Amino acid sequence: MSPARNDPKHVTGADRIPPAGETLPRLTIALQVADILRSLGYPREATPPARVVRSTEKILAEARPWLQPRGTYSLYAVTRQTAHSLEIGGATIAGNIGEFLHGADRIAVFMVTAGSEITRRAEACSRAGDAFAGLALDAIGSWAAEAAAEALMEQLNSQLRPGESFTMRYSPGYCGMNLRQQRTLFKLAPAKSVGISLLPSLLMQPLKSISGIVGLGPREIVGIHLSPCERCPQVGCHMRR
Amino acid sequence: MADFSQLREAVLTGNAPAAVAAARQALDAGVDPVELVNQAISPAMEEVGRLYEAGEYFVPELLLAARATKEVFQLIRPLLAQKDIPPAARVVLGTVQGDLHDIGKNLVGAMLEGGGFEVIDLGVNVPPEKFILAVEEKQAQIVGLSALLTTTMPAMKKTLDVFRTAGIRGRIKVMIGGAPITQSYADSIGADAYGENAAAAVAIARKLAGR
Ligand code: B12
């Protein structure tokens, strides 16, 4: 095991499960033009103009090397769980815990990012007056962050025991988990190892980053869940699934 | 009256080179630039907005149309200036302090430019004082504030408070927007308007500018 497999110093709890955490320096993500078109606002059933499709294809091809999908997670045993709070690694996380993490006996605290290069490029395009390319690159960055989270989940598969599965993913800022919980998550996972930092406004840098928790537990208890969008009040959201 | 169908079509399909060519042709033929704006550009952009509201156009089409009109405006702005006709209004735009989210604001800026506004984009993480400097320096009539998260939203209130203390609040109209913003939040901090998206921002800016 390389020393880069970090063990964040501020986490001392004995309930941290070995392998305690894993830093994934290069996640493999798959990005399709169709996904980006969805992020640009086209619903699945819409037919975007050929010109838009062509430019999006071109921009995506160019943007691939600018994506640096990375992620990290730390795994903890649940020491206490109620409907609205979760205790792991000596820290307490508040939110709609019961609804999202019911039945989990272990929790992975994760952080993923698409890196900052893509945002730099998007900004440069917008500043140069090419609002469409700026928007497309921004959408590619958002999608890459989402894809990085999916790829991290794939890696987490190795932590599942026979008969187990995941709960829904749950992130600060969503559905009853206050953004303040970001501070706790940043204590529990080695965000720095993948270059993510938390600003005083609780915004993560790079912008195209996602933090969250996901539970692992017996399939018959944790396995049944709806899309998280079912619980979200942003009904007009173009990313609604 | 001149036939503007080509120009309107070029704007509707977001074809900037065709729009500029059609505009140049009309101007060369002696068409008044004001008439060109009122008879062709504005109605075409209004139609684009309608198509967007109706779900037939999506944001990329909006941007392409806005880009076409922006280029036409670049052609006619000097002519309008010669006649002492000012731009629709000057809008100072920025993402509030503590927030780094760029893209929503950029779309709003692009659409406003397509609507004939002069946009001064201050970028992201903009402190209130920087907004004030830009308002003073550019004699702007409208300020647009953007924020992404509930935790950066309070900087909007702070920005408005600083505007009041600095004594410029009465001179400007303030519109706000961003994913977590709502009309009731706008009301609660005393903003003049809330815009749900970039297309709405143009209509609102027109109203705020009294046009
Ligand atoms: C794509 C997306 C992401 C992407 C990219 C984020 C980014 N900033 O680049 C990813 C996946 C990385 C992400 C991450 C996160 N996200 Co997010 N994300 C979104 C999503 C789906 C779309 C945002 C977007 O890019 N829209 C496209 C742009 C063009 O739209 P826009 O910025 O809103 O701007 C438009 C309007 O708002 C308006 N407008 C904007 N500014 C202005 C200004 C004026 C003057 C006017 C008139 C109008 C106006 O016009 C614009 C154009 O139409 C929204 C939900 C939503 N539907 O809005 C959530 C959302 C913003 N995210 C949210 C959250 C919680 C997060 C995370 C904190 C989750 C986490 N813990 O990891 C992180 C934070 C990231 C960070 N850096 O800190 C919440 C924020 C709620 C809150 N509590 O504050 C939202 C609202 C989702 C939700 N359902 O609650 N996110």
Side-chain angles (χ1 to χ4, degrees), chain B residues 68-193:
Chain B
T69 48
K70 182 186 162 186
E71 291 191 15
V72 173
F73 274 115
Q74 275 163 1
L75 190 69
I76 58 182
R77 195 159 284 138
L79 304 173
L80 295 175
Q82 269 170 28
K83 297 184 167 217
D84 256 348
I85 299 170
R90 290 202 185 91
V91 185
V92 170
L93 206 58
T95 299
V96 291
Q97 193 160 34
D99 200 324
L100 303 172
H101 188 64
D102 213 21
I103 196 69
K105 161 190 69 65
N106 291 345
L107 298 194
V108 170
M111 289 304 290
L112 287 172
E113 283 182 337
F117 289 88
E118 197 178 315
V119 175
I120 300 110
D121 186 342
L122 301 180
V124 298
N125 194 18
V126 182
E129 297 72 23
K130 207 168 154 196
F131 281 109
I132 295 174
L133 275 177
V135 165
E136 303 277 12
E137 195 180 306
K138 305 283 181 180
Q139 296 296 309
Q141 295 94 330
I142 299 176
V143 174
L145 306 177
S146 182
L148 173 76
L149 294 177
T150 39
T151 45
T152 53
M153 224 160 79
M156 291 183 156
K157 180 178 184 304
K158 188 185 155 214
T159 305
L160 283 172
D161 289 343
V162 177
F163 287 175
R164 277 186 209 101
T165 321
I168 69 155
R169 182 65 187 93
R171 267 192 280 146
I172 50 170
K173 300 284 185 191
V174 179
M175 57 180 186
I176 67 171
I181 312 298
T182 57
Q183 180 67 54
S184 62
Y185 180 71
D187 295 340
S188 76
I189 64 167
D192 296 296

Side-chain angles (χ1 to χ4, degrees), chain A residues 51, chain B residues 7 10-11 13-22 64-65 67-69 71-72:
Chain A
R51 236 151 55 82
Chain B
L7 178 52
V11 170
T13 55
N15 189 338
V20 170
L64 293 170
R67 184 167 190 177
T69 48
E71 291 191 15
V72 173

Side-chain angles (χ1 to χ4, degrees), chain A residues 81-151:
Chain A
Q81 179 179 349
T82 71
H84 297 287
S85 85
L86 172 72
E87 208 181 274
I88 52 172
T92 307
I93 298 171
N96 287 332
I97 300 300
E99 208 179 317
F100 280 83
L101 302 169
H102 172 71
D105 49 44
R106 271 124 58 233
I107 300 286
V109 180
F110 68 87
M111 312 266 164
V112 293
T113 184
S116 48
E117 183 63 14
I118 189 75
T119 300
R120 259 199 300 280
R121 300 282 181 163
E123 283 165 8
C125 279
S126 302
R127 260 201 313 277
D130 193 346
F132 174 71
L135 175 69
L137 288 171
D138 185 87
I140 289 168
S142 298
W143 199 271
E146 280 290 347
E150 295 295 327

Side-chain angles (χ1 to χ4, degrees), chain A residues 22 71-76 107-113 145 148-150 152-153 156 168-172 182 185-186 188-191 194 196 204 209-215:
Chain A
E22 183 133 37
T72 186
Y73 68 85
S74 296
L75 204 58
Y76 295 92
I107 300 286
V109 180
F110 68 87
M111 312 266 164
V112 293
T113 184
E150 295 295 327
L152 183 121
M153 293 296 288
L156 257 180
M168 285 187 283
R169 268 165 37 200
Y170 193 21
S171 293
Q182 286 279 49
L185 263 58
F186 271 72
L188 293 167
V194 287
I196 305 176
M204 288 178 283
S209 302
I210 299 175
S211 66
I213 53 182
V214 62

